[in-house]
C-alpha cells in the first residue's frame, strides 16, 4: 500500500486513540493493541497488518526525531510547515513521549507457568532439608527480606494516571478536530450551493439577454424589410409618372 500524508495522519490518530504504549515493549498486550490499530485501518480500506502499521509508525517517528535533531543544530531557521505537516509532527512527538514513558514502567515478573515451576522446585528443596536447616534458612530469609517501598508503586500509579489523562485529552482533541472537519465540510457545501445558485442566476440572465438581443434583431430586420418595401413602392410610383 502506498502511504500518503493524509493516511499517515489517520494512522497516528488511531495509534493515539488506542495507545499501545500503555504496555511495555514486547508485551503481548502491546501486540494486541497494534493488531487492533491494523483492524480499524482495514475498515477504512487500508491494506495493512500489525507489522505494517508498526513499521510505518517507527519510520515516521525516526524521521521526525532526526529532523528535530537537525533543527537544533541549525541556525534556528526551519522551513515553514503546512497545517497537515504540523499536525503529523505534533502527533508523532506526543506518541514518542508516551513511548518513552512506557519504558519507565517496571518489568513484569516471570510468567505464571515459570513461577509455578520455581515454586515446585523450592517445595522439593525444602522437603529434603532437615528441621534445623529449615529454621536457619527461615531466619536468614527474614533478615534478607527487602523492605517494601512505596516509591515504585507510586511511580507506577503516577505513570498510569498520566497516560490515562493524556489519552482522555487526545480523545477530546480528536473529537474537536472531527467537529471542526464537519463544520468545514458544511461550509464548503454551503459555498458550493451558493456558487451553483449564482451560476444558475448568471445563466438565466445570459439567456434573457440573448432573447432580448434576438428580439431586437428581429425588430430591426422587420423595420429594414418595411423600409425596403416602401422604397420599392416609391420607385414604382415614380416610374409610372
Amino acid at each position: 500500500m502506498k502511504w500518503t500524508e493524509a493516511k499517515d495522519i489517520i494512522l497516528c490518530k488511531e495509534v493515539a486513540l488506542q495507545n499501545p504504549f500503555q504496555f511495555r515493549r514486547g508485551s503481548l498486550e502491546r501486540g494486541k493493541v497494534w493488531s487492533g490499530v491494523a483492524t480499524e485501518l482495514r475498515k477504512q480500506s487500508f491494506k495493512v497488518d500489525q507489522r505494517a502499521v508498526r513499521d510505518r509508525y517507527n519510520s515516521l517517528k525516526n524521521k521526525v526525531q532526526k529532523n528535530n535533531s537537525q533543527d537544533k543544530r541549525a541556525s534556528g531557521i526551519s522551513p515553514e510547515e503546512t497545517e497537515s505537516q504540523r499536525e503529523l509532527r505534533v502527533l508523532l512527538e506526543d506518541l514518542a513521549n508516551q513511548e518513552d514513558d512506557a519504558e519507565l514502567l517496571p518489568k513484569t515478573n516471570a510468567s505464571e507457568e515459570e513461577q509455578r515451576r520455581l515454586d515446585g522446585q523450592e517445595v522439593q528443596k525444602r522437603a529434603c532439608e532437615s528441621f534445623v536447616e529449615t529454621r536457619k534458612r527461615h531466619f536468614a530469609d527474614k533478615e534478607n527480606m527487602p523492605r517494601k517501598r512505596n516509591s515504585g508503586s507510586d511511580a507506577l500509579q503516577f505513570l498510569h494516571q498520566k497516560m490515562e489523562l493524556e489519552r482522555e485529552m487526545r480523545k477530546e482533541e480528536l473529537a474537536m478536530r472531527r467537529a471542526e472537519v464537519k463544520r468545514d465540510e458544511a461550509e464548503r457545501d454551503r459555498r458550493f450551493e451558493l456558487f451553483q445558485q449564482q451560476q444558475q442566476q448568471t445563466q438565466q440572465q445570459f439567456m434573457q439577454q440573448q432573447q432580448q438581443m434576438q428580439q431586437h434583431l428581429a425588430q430591426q430586420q422587420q423595420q429594414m424589410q418595411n423600409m425596403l418595401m416602401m422604397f420599392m413602392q416609391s420607385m414604382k410610383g415614380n416610374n409610372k409618372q
Side-chain angles (χ1 to χ4, degrees):
M1 188 193 75
K2 183 178 181 181
W3 288 95
T4 63
E5 193 172 85
K7 290 181 178 179
D8 288 337
I9 292 176
I10 294 174
L11 165 65
C12 291
K13 286 182 177 180
E14 191 61 38
V15 173
L17 185 62
Q18 298 203 31
N19 189 18
F21 308 121
Q22 59 185 302
F23 305 107
R24 286 191 61 83
R25 184 190 302 273
S27 64
L28 180 62
E29 291 81 0
R30 181 181 284 198
K32 289 181 179 179
V33 177
W34 279 116
S35 296
V37 172
T39 300
E40 289 300 320
L41 292 181
R42 284 196 294 270
K43 293 179 181 179
Q44 303 181 48
S45 301
F46 282 57
K47 296 180 180 180
V48 293
D49 55 12
Q50 180 199 120
R51 182 175 181 179
V53 295
R54 191 173 63 247
D55 289 348
R56 182 59 180 176
Y57 161 74
N58 287 328
S59 175
L60 292 171
K61 179 192 69 174
N62 293 335
K63 182 178 179 181
V64 167
Q65 290 176 340
K66 181 179 179 181
N67 290 339
N68 289 344
S69 178
Q70 290 176 349
D71 290 342
K72 288 181 180 179
R73 292 195 299 267
S75 60
I77 301 176
S78 58
E80 293 184 359
E81 292 179 317
T82 63
E83 183 64 24
S84 57
Q85 288 174 340
R86 188 191 69 81
E87 181 181 8
L88 180 60
R89 176 179 57 79
V90 171
L91 282 168
L92 286 166
E93 289 175 350
D94 186 28
L95 290 171
N97 290 333
Q98 293 180 53
E99 190 173 1
D100 292 340
D101 290 342
E103 296 306 313
L104 300 177
L105 294 173
K107 294 183 178 180
T108 56
N109 295 327
S111 64
E112 293 183 0
E113 182 178 353
E114 179 68 13
Q115 190 63 43
R116 286 196 298 269
R117 185 181 66 82
L118 295 175
D119 290 344
Q121 292 178 353
E122 182 66 16
V123 170
Q124 292 177 357
K125 179 180 178 181
R126 293 190 180 188
C128 296
E129 291 177 346
S130 65
F131 176 75
V132 176
E133 291 174 340
T134 301
R135 286 181 60 84
K136 288 181 179 179
R137 189 178 49 76
H138 176 70
F139 287 115
D141 288 345
K142 279 190 174 182
E143 292 177 357
N144 296 328
M145 185 180 297
R147 295 181 179 178
K148 293 183 178 180
R149 297 182 179 179
N150 295 327
S151 58
S153 176
D154 293 342
L156 178 60
Q157 184 179 5
F158 170 76
L159 286 175
H160 279 302
Q161 290 176 349
K162 179 176 180 291
M163 287 189 291
E164 186 64 26
L165 178 60
E166 290 177 347
R167 185 176 183 180
E168 292 299 325
M169 292 176 63
R170 285 192 300 275
K171 284 184 179 179
E172 293 179 2
E173 183 180 359
L174 288 175
M176 292 175 61
R177 288 179 180 175
R178 291 192 185 102
E180 185 177 354
V181 169
K182 289 183 179 179
R183 288 196 301 269
D184 292 342
E185 290 177 350
E187 179 65 18
R188 284 197 299 269
D189 292 341
R190 187 188 68 81
R191 291 181 179 179
F192 181 72
E193 184 177 356
L194 180 61
F195 173 76
Q196 285 184 323
Q197 292 176 355
Q198 292 175 346
Q199 287 289 98
Q200 291 176 355
Q201 292 176 357
T202 302
Q203 188 175 5
Q204 290 175 356
Q205 292 176 355
F206 178 76
M207 294 295 294
Q208 290 175 356
Q209 291 176 355
Q210 288 290 324
Q211 291 176 356
Q212 291 175 356
M213 290 179 63
Q214 289 177 356
Q215 291 175 357
H216 182 67
L217 182 61
Q219 290 176 356
Q220 287 183 338
Q221 290 177 348
Q222 186 65 38
Q223 289 177 357
M224 290 293 294
Q225 289 178 356
N226 293 337
M227 292 176 63
L228 182 60
M229 290 179 64
M230 291 176 62
F231 177 75
M232 294 294 294
Q233 290 176 357
S234 176
M235 291 294 295
K236 288 180 180 180
N238 292 334
N239 290 334
K240 289 180 180 181
Q241 293 178 358

mmCIF file of all heavy atoms in Angstrom, residues 30-61:
data_model
loop_
_atom_site.group_PDB
_atom_site.id
_atom_site.type_symbol
_atom_site.label_atom_id
_atom_site.label_comp_id
_atom_site.label_asym_id
_atom_site.label_seq_id
_atom_site.Cartn_x
_atom_site.Cartn_y
_atom_site.Cartn_z
ATOM 1 N N ARG A 30 0.719 -5.146 24.241
ATOM 2 C CA ARG A 30 1.029 -4.122 23.238
ATOM 3 C C ARG A 30 0.807 -4.662 21.829
ATOM 4 O O ARG A 30 0.301 -3.964 20.949
ATOM 5 C CB ARG A 30 2.462 -3.630 23.384
ATOM 6 C CG ARG A 30 2.818 -2.547 22.374
ATOM 7 C CD ARG A 30 4.245 -2.052 22.486
ATOM 8 N NE ARG A 30 4.437 -1.170 23.621
ATOM 9 C CZ ARG A 30 5.483 -0.344 23.744
ATOM 10 N NH1 ARG A 30 6.412 -0.297 22.807
ATOM 11 N NH2 ARG A 30 5.607 0.424 24.807
ATOM 12 N N GLY A 31 1.175 -5.924 21.608
ATOM 13 C CA GLY A 31 0.949 -6.522 20.293
ATOM 14 C C GLY A 31 -0.523 -6.580 19.936
ATOM 15 O O GLY A 31 -0.905 -6.358 18.782
ATOM 16 N N LYS A 32 -1.376 -6.861 20.929
ATOM 17 C CA LYS A 32 -2.816 -6.905 20.675
ATOM 18 C C LYS A 32 -3.338 -5.526 20.273
ATOM 19 O O LYS A 32 -4.211 -5.408 19.406
ATOM 20 C CB LYS A 32 -3.551 -7.409 21.914
ATOM 21 C CG LYS A 32 -3.343 -8.889 22.198
ATOM 22 C CD LYS A 32 -4.124 -9.322 23.431
ATOM 23 C CE LYS A 32 -3.947 -10.809 23.702
ATOM 24 N NZ LYS A 32 -4.689 -11.253 24.916
ATOM 25 N N VAL A 33 -2.810 -4.487 20.917
ATOM 26 C CA VAL A 33 -3.262 -3.129 20.573
ATOM 27 C C VAL A 33 -2.845 -2.775 19.146
ATOM 28 O O VAL A 33 -3.621 -2.192 18.380
ATOM 29 C CB VAL A 33 -2.702 -2.103 21.576
ATOM 30 C CG1 VAL A 33 -3.104 -0.689 21.164
ATOM 31 C CG2 VAL A 33 -3.221 -2.397 22.974
ATOM 32 N N TRP A 34 -1.610 -3.132 18.760
ATOM 33 C CA TRP A 34 -1.175 -2.874 17.382
ATOM 34 C C TRP A 34 -2.072 -3.613 16.387
ATOM 35 O O TRP A 34 -2.402 -3.094 15.317
ATOM 36 C CB TRP A 34 0.279 -3.303 17.197
ATOM 37 C CG TRP A 34 1.287 -2.315 17.689
ATOM 38 C CD1 TRP A 34 2.175 -2.469 18.701
ATOM 39 C CD2 TRP A 34 1.518 -0.992 17.178
ATOM 40 N NE1 TRP A 34 2.935 -1.343 18.867
ATOM 41 C CE2 TRP A 34 2.560 -0.420 17.940
ATOM 42 C CE3 TRP A 34 0.947 -0.245 16.155
ATOM 43 C CZ2 TRP A 34 3.038 0.863 17.714
ATOM 44 C CZ3 TRP A 34 1.434 1.042 15.924
ATOM 45 C CH2 TRP A 34 2.460 1.576 16.700
ATOM 46 N N SER A 35 -2.468 -4.832 16.740
ATOM 47 C CA SER A 35 -3.388 -5.579 15.873
ATOM 48 C C SER A 35 -4.725 -4.854 15.771
ATOM 49 O O SER A 35 -5.348 -4.810 14.703
ATOM 50 C CB SER A 35 -3.596 -6.992 16.420
ATOM 51 O OG SER A 35 -2.385 -7.728 16.396
ATOM 52 N N GLY A 36 -5.173 -4.274 16.902
ATOM 53 C CA GLY A 36 -6.415 -3.506 16.883
ATOM 54 C C GLY A 36 -6.317 -2.281 15.988
ATOM 55 O O GLY A 36 -7.276 -1.926 15.288
ATOM 56 N N VAL A 37 -5.158 -1.628 15.994
ATOM 57 C CA VAL A 37 -4.947 -0.473 15.111
ATOM 58 C C VAL A 37 -5.058 -0.902 13.649
ATOM 59 O O VAL A 37 -5.720 -0.250 12.832
ATOM 60 C CB VAL A 37 -3.570 0.166 15.383
ATOM 61 C CG1 VAL A 37 -3.265 1.245 14.340
ATOM 62 C CG2 VAL A 37 -3.529 0.767 16.782
ATOM 63 N N ALA A 38 -4.405 -2.019 13.312
ATOM 64 C CA ALA A 38 -4.458 -2.513 11.932
ATOM 65 C C ALA A 38 -5.887 -2.875 11.537
ATOM 66 O O ALA A 38 -6.324 -2.598 10.409
ATOM 67 C CB ALA A 38 -3.544 -3.732 11.782
ATOM 68 N N THR A 39 -6.637 -3.463 12.460
ATOM 69 C CA THR A 39 -8.025 -3.838 12.170
ATOM 70 C C THR A 39 -8.872 -2.610 11.851
ATOM 71 O O THR A 39 -9.657 -2.605 10.892
ATOM 72 C CB THR A 39 -8.629 -4.592 13.368
ATOM 73 O OG1 THR A 39 -7.863 -5.780 13.610
ATOM 74 C CG2 THR A 39 -10.074 -4.980 13.087
ATOM 75 N N GLU A 40 -8.726 -1.559 12.652
ATOM 76 C CA GLU A 40 -9.507 -0.338 12.420
ATOM 77 C C GLU A 40 -9.133 0.312 11.088
ATOM 78 O O GLU A 40 -9.994 0.837 10.380
ATOM 79 C CB GLU A 40 -9.284 0.648 13.571
ATOM 80 C CG GLU A 40 -9.926 0.227 14.874
ATOM 81 C CD GLU A 40 -11.428 0.072 14.751
ATOM 82 O OE1 GLU A 40 -12.062 0.913 14.065
ATOM 83 O OE2 GLU A 40 -11.975 -0.883 15.315
ATOM 84 N N LEU A 41 -7.851 0.282 10.742
ATOM 85 C CA LEU A 41 -7.424 0.885 9.475
ATOM 86 C C LEU A 41 -7.937 0.083 8.282
ATOM 87 O O LEU A 41 -8.268 0.659 7.241
ATOM 88 C CB LEU A 41 -5.897 0.985 9.428
ATOM 89 C CG LEU A 41 -5.260 1.966 10.414
ATOM 90 C CD1 LEU A 41 -3.749 1.986 10.246
ATOM 91 C CD2 LEU A 41 -5.824 3.368 10.242
ATOM 92 N N ARG A 42 -8.004 -1.234 8.441
ATOM 93 C CA ARG A 42 -8.542 -2.044 7.334
ATOM 94 C C ARG A 42 -10.013 -1.725 7.085
ATOM 95 O O ARG A 42 -10.493 -1.846 5.952
ATOM 96 C CB ARG A 42 -8.365 -3.537 7.640
ATOM 97 C CG ARG A 42 -6.934 -4.026 7.450
ATOM 98 C CD ARG A 42 -6.878 -5.546 7.381
ATOM 99 N NE ARG A 42 -7.253 -6.157 8.642
ATOM 100 C CZ ARG A 42 -6.410 -6.441 9.616
ATOM 101 N NH1 ARG A 42 -5.116 -6.158 9.479
ATOM 102 N NH2 ARG A 42 -6.829 -7.020 10.727
ATOM 103 N N LYS A 43 -10.729 -1.306 8.124
ATOM 104 C CA LYS A 43 -12.121 -0.897 7.939
ATOM 105 C C LYS A 43 -12.219 0.359 7.079
ATOM 106 O O LYS A 43 -13.272 0.647 6.515
ATOM 107 C CB LYS A 43 -12.778 -0.639 9.300
ATOM 108 C CG LYS A 43 -12.946 -1.890 10.153
ATOM 109 C CD LYS A 43 -13.574 -1.553 11.494
ATOM 110 C CE LYS A 43 -13.722 -2.786 12.368
ATOM 111 N NZ LYS A 43 -14.314 -2.470 13.696
ATOM 112 N N GLN A 44 -11.114 1.108 7.003
ATOM 113 C CA GLN A 44 -11.063 2.321 6.182
ATOM 114 C C GLN A 44 -10.323 2.067 4.868
ATOM 115 O O GLN A 44 -9.755 2.983 4.280
ATOM 116 C CB GLN A 44 -10.389 3.445 6.964
ATOM 117 C CG GLN A 44 -11.056 3.757 8.291
ATOM 118 C CD GLN A 44 -10.384 4.895 9.027
ATOM 119 O OE1 GLN A 44 -10.112 5.951 8.456
ATOM 120 N NE2 GLN A 44 -10.102 4.699 10.312
ATOM 121 N N SER A 45 -10.306 0.793 4.449
ATOM 122 C CA SER A 45 -9.726 0.379 3.155
ATOM 123 C C SER A 45 -8.205 0.444 3.132
ATOM 124 O O SER A 45 -7.603 0.522 2.063
ATOM 125 C CB SER A 45 -10.305 1.232 2.009
ATOM 126 O OG SER A 45 -11.711 1.100 1.957
ATOM 127 N N PHE A 46 -7.560 0.416 4.311
ATOM 128 C CA PHE A 46 -6.106 0.316 4.367
ATOM 129 C C PHE A 46 -5.719 -1.159 4.222
ATOM 130 O O PHE A 46 -6.268 -2.020 4.914
ATOM 131 C CB PHE A 46 -5.569 0.835 5.705
ATOM 132 C CG PHE A 46 -5.522 2.326 5.813
ATOM 133 C CD1 PHE A 46 -6.658 3.096 5.631
ATOM 134 C CD2 PHE A 46 -4.338 2.975 6.115
ATOM 135 C CE1 PHE A 46 -6.625 4.471 5.746
ATOM 136 C CE2 PHE A 46 -4.284 4.346 6.237
ATOM 137 C CZ PHE A 46 -5.427 5.102 6.046
ATOM 138 N N LYS A 47 -4.785 -1.454 3.353
ATOM 139 C CA LYS A 47 -4.309 -2.823 3.185
ATOM 140 C C LYS A 47 -3.057 -3.002 4.045
ATOM 141 O O LYS A 47 -1.923 -2.911 3.571
ATOM 142 C CB LYS A 47 -4.015 -3.106 1.717
ATOM 143 C CG LYS A 47 -5.259 -3.033 0.831
ATOM 144 C CD LYS A 47 -4.922 -3.332 -0.624
ATOM 145 C CE LYS A 47 -6.183 -3.259 -1.492
ATOM 146 N NZ LYS A 47 -5.886 -3.535 -2.919
ATOM 147 N N VAL A 48 -3.274 -3.242 5.351
ATOM 148 C CA VAL A 48 -2.171 -3.296 6.305
ATOM 149 C C VAL A 48 -2.395 -4.434 7.291
ATOM 150 O O VAL A 48 -3.501 -4.942 7.437
ATOM 151 C CB VAL A 48 -2.044 -1.966 7.086
ATOM 152 C CG1 VAL A 48 -1.632 -0.834 6.176
ATOM 153 C CG2 VAL A 48 -3.357 -1.631 7.787
ATOM 154 N N ASP A 49 -1.304 -4.812 7.959
ATOM 155 C CA ASP A 49 -1.383 -5.732 9.080
ATOM 156 C C ASP A 49 -0.640 -5.106 10.255
ATOM 157 O O ASP A 49 -0.208 -3.949 10.186
ATOM 158 C CB ASP A 49 -0.797 -7.099 8.715
ATOM 159 C CG ASP A 49 0.638 -6.996 8.198
ATOM 160 O OD1 ASP A 49 1.248 -5.907 8.343
ATOM 161 O OD2 ASP A 49 1.155 -7.985 7.652
ATOM 162 N N GLN A 50 -0.512 -5.871 11.342
ATOM 163 C CA GLN A 50 0.115 -5.322 12.547
ATOM 164 C C GLN A 50 1.532 -4.829 12.267
ATOM 165 O O GLN A 50 1.921 -3.736 12.681
ATOM 166 C CB GLN A 50 0.147 -6.389 13.646
ATOM 167 C CG GLN A 50 0.787 -5.907 14.935
ATOM 168 C CD GLN A 50 1.217 -7.047 15.832
ATOM 169 O OE1 GLN A 50 2.388 -7.181 16.161
ATOM 170 N NE2 GLN A 50 0.272 -7.882 16.243
ATOM 171 N N ARG A 51 2.305 -5.629 11.550
ATOM 172 C CA ARG A 51 3.697 -5.258 11.291
ATOM 173 C C ARG A 51 3.786 -4.016 10.411
ATOM 174 O O ARG A 51 4.645 -3.153 10.625
ATOM 175 C CB ARG A 51 4.423 -6.424 10.623
ATOM 176 C CG ARG A 51 5.891 -6.139 10.351
ATOM 177 C CD ARG A 51 6.598 -7.363 9.807
ATOM 178 N NE ARG A 51 8.005 -7.090 9.560
ATOM 179 C CZ ARG A 51 8.863 -7.990 9.098
ATOM 180 N NH1 ARG A 51 8.444 -9.227 8.845
ATOM 181 N NH2 ARG A 51 10.126 -7.670 8.896
ATOM 182 N N ALA A 52 2.888 -3.910 9.437
ATOM 183 C CA ALA A 52 2.934 -2.766 8.515
ATOM 184 C C ALA A 52 2.680 -1.453 9.250
ATOM 185 O O ALA A 52 3.387 -0.464 9.034
ATOM 186 C CB ALA A 52 1.912 -2.953 7.397
ATOM 187 N N VAL A 53 1.667 -1.427 10.128
ATOM 188 C CA VAL A 53 1.364 -0.177 10.838
ATOM 189 C C VAL A 53 2.467 0.147 11.845
ATOM 190 O O VAL A 53 2.829 1.317 12.027
ATOM 191 C CB VAL A 53 -0.005 -0.259 11.539
ATOM 192 C CG1 VAL A 53 -1.117 -0.388 10.528
ATOM 193 C CG2 VAL A 53 -0.076 -1.412 12.521
ATOM 194 N N ARG A 54 3.022 -0.884 12.479
ATOM 195 C CA ARG A 54 4.094 -0.639 13.449
ATOM 196 C C ARG A 54 5.353 -0.119 12.753
ATOM 197 O O ARG A 54 5.996 0.830 13.222
ATOM 198 C CB ARG A 54 4.391 -1.925 14.217
ATOM 199 C CG ARG A 54 5.290 -1.710 15.433
ATOM 200 C CD ARG A 54 5.420 -2.977 16.254
ATOM 201 N NE ARG A 54 6.057 -4.047 15.506
ATOM 202 C CZ ARG A 54 5.456 -5.161 15.126
ATOM 203 N NH1 ARG A 54 4.190 -5.361 15.437
ATOM 204 N NH2 ARG A 54 6.099 -6.093 14.447
ATOM 205 N N ASP A 55 5.698 -0.724 11.616
ATOM 206 C CA ASP A 55 6.886 -0.286 10.879
ATOM 207 C C ASP A 55 6.707 1.128 10.337
ATOM 208 O O ASP A 55 7.646 1.935 10.345
ATOM 209 C CB ASP A 55 7.175 -1.245 9.721
ATOM 210 C CG ASP A 55 7.684 -2.595 10.210
ATOM 211 O OD1 ASP A 55 8.021 -2.701 11.405
ATOM 212 O OD2 ASP A 55 7.732 -3.540 9.400
ATOM 213 N N ARG A 56 5.495 1.441 9.855
ATOM 214 C CA ARG A 56 5.260 2.787 9.323
ATOM 215 C C ARG A 56 5.349 3.835 10.426
ATOM 216 O O ARG A 56 5.944 4.901 10.232
ATOM 217 C CB ARG A 56 3.876 2.859 8.655
ATOM 218 C CG ARG A 56 3.570 4.221 8.021
ATOM 219 C CD ARG A 56 4.596 4.586 6.974
ATOM 220 N NE ARG A 56 4.323 5.878 6.370
ATOM 221 C CZ ARG A 56 5.110 6.468 5.485
ATOM 222 N NH1 ARG A 56 6.234 5.878 5.096
ATOM 223 N NH2 ARG A 56 4.793 7.646 4.975
ATOM 224 N N TYR A 57 4.783 3.510 11.592
ATOM 225 C CA TYR A 57 4.868 4.451 12.713
ATOM 226 C C TYR A 57 6.327 4.681 13.113
ATOM 227 O O TYR A 57 6.750 5.826 13.309
ATOM 228 C CB TYR A 57 4.077 3.933 13.912
ATOM 229 C CG TYR A 57 4.488 4.603 15.200
ATOM 230 C CD1 TYR A 57 4.107 5.910 15.474
ATOM 231 C CD2 TYR A 57 5.310 3.944 16.120
ATOM 232 C CE1 TYR A 57 4.523 6.541 16.634
ATOM 233 C CE2 TYR A 57 5.722 4.568 17.277
ATOM 234 C CZ TYR A 57 5.328 5.864 17.536
ATOM 235 O OH TYR A 57 5.745 6.497 18.673
ATOM 236 N N ASN A 58 7.106 3.608 13.235
ATOM 237 C CA ASN A 58 8.512 3.747 13.626
ATOM 238 C C ASN A 58 9.293 4.559 12.597
ATOM 239 O O ASN A 58 10.161 5.365 12.950
ATOM 240 C CB ASN A 58 9.145 2.365 13.795
ATOM 241 C CG ASN A 58 8.668 1.658 15.048
ATOM 242 O OD1 ASN A 58 8.374 2.304 16.049
ATOM 243 N ND2 ASN A 58 8.573 0.341 15.002
ATOM 244 N N SER A 59 8.986 4.353 11.318
ATOM 245 C CA SER A 59 9.667 5.114 10.271
ATOM 246 C C SER A 59 9.358 6.604 10.384
ATOM 247 O O SER A 59 10.257 7.451 10.296
ATOM 248 C CB SER A 59 9.241 4.584 8.898
ATOM 249 O OG SER A 59 9.795 5.372 7.862
ATOM 250 N N LEU A 60 8.082 6.932 10.607
ATOM 251 C CA LEU A 60 7.691 8.340 10.747
ATOM 252 C C LEU A 60 8.304 8.952 12.004
ATOM 253 O O LEU A 60 8.790 10.090 11.983
ATOM 254 C CB LEU A 60 6.166 8.445 10.808
ATOM 255 C CG LEU A 60 5.405 8.090 9.528
ATOM 256 C CD1 LEU A 60 3.911 8.025 9.805
ATOM 257 C CD2 LEU A 60 5.692 9.099 8.427
ATOM 258 N N LYS A 61 8.299 8.194 13.096
ATOM 259 C CA LYS A 61 8.855 8.702 14.359
ATOM 260 C C LYS A 61 10.347 8.991 14.206
ATOM 261 O O LYS A 61 10.831 10.050 14.631
ATOM 262 C CB LYS A 61 8.621 7.681 15.469
ATOM 263 C CG LYS A 61 9.183 8.108 16.823
ATOM 264 C CD LYS A 61 9.187 6.956 17.806
ATOM 265 C CE LYS A 61 10.209 5.909 17.395
ATOM 266 N NZ LYS A 61 10.348 4.830 18.405
#
